[in-house]
Amino acid sequence: MSARPPKSLKIYFDGGARPNPGPFEVAVVARGVVHFFDDLGEGSNGDAEWLALLKALEVAHALGVQAFDLLGDSRSIIAQATGTAPCRTQAEREQLTRFTTLAAAAAPRRIRWIPRAQNLAGIALAGRRR
């Protein structure tokens, strides 16, 4: 009888810039806890989504989980991070390098796109703005 693989923790991430470009806002949700990150600089929404993905990976590492999935609503960032789309700018290539380096310690089982309405981190960011 073989052991079952550990259940994978779902970690949601979202980032944005208000206005675009503007100050970054990032949220990560893991185990029902919302982590907000401020004072991360300024740039575009795409830059903010990359930061959100990196912060999600950092949260997973801080929690010490072995099996985790990263879920976000930015198709382009997820495609770049998974290698299904090229990083077209130097900034995107640098973010991918940062992600790959950080993931070397403990990589996500999957990085998956979900609709905005299902992204708990995006919902948390929207609620914070009200």
Side-chain angles (χ1 to χ4, degrees):
M1 182 177 191
S2 63
R4 286 185 170 186
K7 188 174 179 182
S8 187
L9 176 66
K10 292 179 180 177
I11 300 178
Y12 300 84
F13 67 93
D14 194 30
R18 287 193 168 264
N20 184 25
F24 295 134
E25 55 182 5
V26 167
V28 174
V29 176
R31 294 185 175 149
V33 177
V34 180
H35 304 265
F36 290 111
F37 298 92
D38 297 307
D39 300 322
L40 299 174
E42 294 188 9
S44 71
N45 281 332
D47 298 329
E49 290 284 1
W50 266 112
L51 286 174
L53 178 61
L54 291 165
K55 290 296 183 187
L57 193 51
E58 289 174 3
V59 167
H61 291 173
L63 292 173
V65 293
Q66 298 301 310
F68 60 95
D69 295 340
L70 301 178
L71 302 121
D73 57 31
S74 174
R75 288 183 191 271
S76 61
I77 301 307
I78 291 167
Q80 290 171 358
T82 58
T84 60
C87 294
R88 299 195 187 281
T89 68
Q90 182 61 31
E92 290 171 345
R93 287 188 288 276
E94 289 170 5
Q95 295 289 28
L96 179 60
T97 298
R98 288 178 62 202
F99 178 78
T100 303
T101 300
L102 191 57
R109 193 181 70 162
R110 293 185 304 171
I111 306 171
R112 189 166 59 95
W113 177 85
I114 57 172
R116 174 88 171 149
Q118 295 175 12
N119 187 348
L120 299 181
I123 294 166
L125 276 180
R128 187 180 196 203
R129 290 184 210 119
R130 292 183 185 165

